Amino acid sequence: MPDLTGGFVALLGLEFEEAGADRVVIRWRVRPELHQPFGIQHGGVYCAVVETAASVGGSLWLGERGRVVGVSNQTDFLRAVREGELTAVGTPVHRGRSQQLWQVEITDETGRLVSRGQVRLQNLSAD
């Protein structure tokens, strides 16, 4: 299992509520250091969280058979957020021999969808 507490995860303040092969749930607080210049959550944070959720879930599913790397990240920004807690839920769309596709939905405290993304992962063999 990858380290889910240090590095970029810690910098963003991500907390894993659930991390499994079929579902990943991440929470974090929007704070000024994660804002873009106009005072809203930076889109790059959404991209990073989408990539993180997909990569963790995909890695847990692939397990000892190898490792995964992201090859495509498509993230849409739907609603501006200035403060509060956000929740990302990642689930698999497709898991094949060579690639996986995961979708991630990010909602605010009231359950409104604020961002949505998908990540294609390449499964790399442990051989």
Side-chain angles (χ1 to χ4, degrees), residues 35-48:
H35 284 172
Q36 46 94 302
F38 297 103
I40 61 174
Q41 176 77 83
H42 193 289
V45 175
Y46 295 126
C47 293

Side-chain angles (χ1 to χ4, degrees), residues 99-126:
Q99 291 192 339
Q100 300 180 50
L101 181 65
W102 282 70
Q103 69 178 6
V104 181
E105 292 189 342
I106 300 173
T107 55
D108 66 13
E109 294 167 316
T110 66
R112 294 181 303 176
L113 188 62
V114 299
S115 182
R116 182 206 161 278
Q118 67 179 30
V119 171
R120 182 168 300 284
L121 301 168
Q122 186 72 38
N123 298 332
L124 301 177
S125 173

Side-chain angles (χ1 to χ4, degrees), residues 46-61:
Y46 295 126
C47 293
V49 173
V50 166
E51 181 97 13
T52 299
S55 295
V56 167
S59 177
L60 291 171
W61 178 77

Side-chain angles (χ1 to χ4, degrees), residues 16 18-20 22-26 52-54 56-58 60 88-91 102:
F16 286 80
E18 184 179 338
D22 296 317
R23 180 174 148 103
V24 176
V25 180
I26 302 172
T52 299
V56 167
L60 291 171
V89 177
T91 55
W102 282 70

Side-chain angles (χ1 to χ4, degrees), residues 17-103:
E17 183 175 291
E18 184 179 338
D22 296 317
R23 180 174 148 103
V24 176
V25 180
I26 302 172
R27 294 188 190 279
W28 78 99
R29 292 211 65 78
V30 177
R31 49 191 208 278
E33 57 266 39
L34 299 179
H35 284 172
Q36 46 94 302
F38 297 103
I40 61 174
Q41 176 77 83
H42 193 289
V45 175
Y46 295 126
C47 293
V49 173
V50 166
E51 181 97 13
T52 299
S55 295
V56 167
S59 177
L60 291 171
W61 178 77
L62 193 59
E64 297 298 319
R65 294 173 288 164
R67 59 189 171 92
V68 300
V69 293
V71 294
S72 175
N73 181 330
Q74 169 62 48
T75 302
D76 296 307
F77 317 124
L78 307 171
R79 184 180 306 274
V81 177
R82 295 182 186 286
E83 60 186 12
E85 184 177 77
L86 297 177
T87 302
V89 177
T91 55
V93 174
H94 170 78
R95 295 185 287 204
R97 182 177 39 82
S98 61
Q99 291 192 339
Q100 300 180 50
L101 181 65
W102 282 70
Q103 69 178 6

